[in-house]
């Protein structure tokens, strides 16, 4: 794990967007897994802008959505599907054969997981994975206690996730379960970016970087990834006990 510190959210997002865009230039068939949410929002916007303005060939990339709230239709503006549809898939005009999102309304959610694992395995793993961190240390819906050996799976959501998650919705929604890419795929990913900005993430960043490596605090898995980068702004770095 390596730590990279930036002055602010803008710079942090710019770094990630440039890195991913360069990676696509070097490997047009890049397999990219992204989280939705407030943190990666600007990176996704900057990445799309760069790819379009610089006419980078993105016709061969594979895009994978990290997770989804079970039971929500893609039309719900708080769903991960809606986020990616509007911010990435439509602007880049990705073909349906190029992107893979969990269908959170599927009758057989286990099969959704099997299908996603197959997509990843057939492409020999994820090249770049960009994730955020929840206020309970989760990554995607790998909630506290999730095994580091998990493939894609469905999980009952932690109370913190249920309450913090309301911020994505215009009205109160019932959030009970999530479907998510598991940590086995994260550990196998060739590069992982975990991003955090703002003082509200300072405590979880301290635990991620300086706390014990434990399934009780999911983001600590970053300590195990040799090509894992924790990208933070000064505010999110404010509780670290030393310069890393
Ligand atoms: P956020 O979500 O980027 O909206 O803070 C992070 C997460 O819960 O993974």
């Amino acid at each position: 794990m390596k730590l990279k510190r930036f002055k602010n959210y803008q710079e942090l997002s710019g770094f990630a967007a440039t890195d991913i865009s360069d990676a696509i230039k070097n490997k047009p068939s890049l397999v990219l897994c992204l989280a939705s949410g407030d943190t990666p929002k600007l990176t996704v916007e900057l990445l799309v802008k760069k790819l379009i303005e610089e006419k980078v060939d993105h016709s061969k990339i594979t895009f994978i959505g990290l997770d989804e709230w079970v039971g929500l239709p893609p039309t719900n503006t708080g769903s991960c599907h809606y986020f990616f549809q509007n911010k990435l898939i439509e602007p880049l005009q990705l073909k349906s054969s190029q992107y893979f999102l969990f269908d959170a309304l599927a009758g057989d959610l286990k099969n959704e997981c099997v299908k996603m694992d197959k997509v990843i395995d057939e492409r020999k793993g994820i090249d770049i994975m960009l994730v955020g961190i929840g206020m309970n240390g989760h990554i995607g819906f790998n909630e506290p206690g999730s095994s580091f050996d998990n493939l894609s799976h469905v999980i009952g959501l932690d109370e913190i996730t249920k309450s913090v998650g309301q911020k994505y919705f215009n009205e109160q929604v019932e959030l009970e379960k999530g479907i998510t890419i598991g940590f086995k795929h994260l550990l196998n990913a060739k590069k992982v970016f975990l991003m955090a900005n703002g003082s509200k993430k300072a405590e979880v960043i301290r635990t991620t970087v300086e706390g014990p490596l434990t399934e009780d605090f999911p983001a600590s898995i970053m300590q195990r990834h040799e090509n894992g980068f924790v990208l933070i702004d000064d505010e999110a770095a404010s509780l670290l006990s030393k310069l890393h």
Side-chain angles (χ1 to χ4, degrees), residues 20-244:
I20 296 170
S21 150
D22 287 348
I24 296 173
K25 288 178 195 163
N26 289 329
K27 183 180 180 186
S29 62
L30 194 92
V31 181
L32 178 63
C33 175
L34 298 177
S36 55
D38 291 336
T39 316
K41 198 191 255 168
L42 185 57
T43 302
V44 174
E45 288 168 4
L46 295 174
L47 172 65
V48 166
K49 193 165 175 276
K50 251 182 172 316
L51 294 178
I52 293 173
E53 281 178 5
E54 296 176 21
K55 296 193 172 56
V56 180
D57 177 15
H58 53 269
S59 63
K60 293 182 194 68
I61 65 163
T62 296
F63 163 67
I64 292 169
L66 177 66
D67 55 8
E68 188 58 280
W69 307 98
V70 167
L72 287 194
T75 48
N76 186 308
T77 55
S79 70
C80 304
H81 197 126
Y82 189 90
F83 177 101
F84 287 122
Q85 187 67 36
N86 286 281
K87 293 207 168 294
L88 189 90
I89 296 168
E90 272 176 25
L92 291 181
Q93 298 186 310
L94 296 185
K95 301 184 287 284
S96 56
S97 56
Q98 267 186 285
Y99 64 86
F100 299 89
L101 298 163
F102 289 114
D103 176 0
L105 291 178
D108 187 349
L109 289 171
K110 260 209 150 121
N111 189 46
E112 283 297 298
C113 296
V114 170
K115 282 195 307 193
M116 193 60 98
D117 291 338
K118 194 159 169 266
V119 165
I120 297 171
D121 289 347
E122 280 173 354
R123 287 158 180 78
K124 312 230 176 320
I126 295 165
D127 289 307
I128 299 184
M129 191 159 175
L130 184 146
V131 299
I133 177 171
M135 297 305 289
N136 57 359
H138 78 189
I139 291 179
F141 289 134
N142 290 277
E143 300 285 43
S146 292
S147 165
F148 287 171
D149 289 328
N150 271 340
L151 292 169
S152 302
H153 59 285
V154 176
I155 186 167
L157 297 174
D158 187 71
E159 289 308 318
I160 295 177
T161 302
K162 289 185 202 173
S163 62
V164 175
Q166 296 298 331
K167 70 176 175 167
Y168 304 117
F169 302 94
N170 299 329
E171 51 198 38
Q172 185 82 11
V173 281
E174 193 141 325
L175 304 170
E176 286 300 328
K177 287 182 182 171
I179 182 166
T180 187
I181 305 274
F183 277 157
K184 201 164 198 155
H185 294 305
L186 181 143
L187 287 173
N188 285 336
K190 295 179 189 73
K191 178 150 77 178
V192 181
F193 288 135
L194 179 144
M195 310 177 92
N197 66 288
S199 53
K200 71 169 192 283
K201 293 285 172 75
E203 184 64 46
V204 286
I205 283 302
R206 180 162 65 120
T207 312
T208 301
V209 177
E210 296 178 353
L213 174 59
T214 166
E215 290 174 350
D216 292 336
F217 192 81
S220 66
I221 196 170
M222 292 300 289
Q223 296 175 19
R224 189 178 274 183
H225 202 296
E226 283 185 6
N227 212 17
F229 295 83
V230 174
L231 309 180
I232 46 177
D233 70 351
D234 279 346
E235 286 187 13
S238 59
L239 292 179
L240 293 177
S241 64
K242 55 182 164 58
L243 282 178
H244 289 265

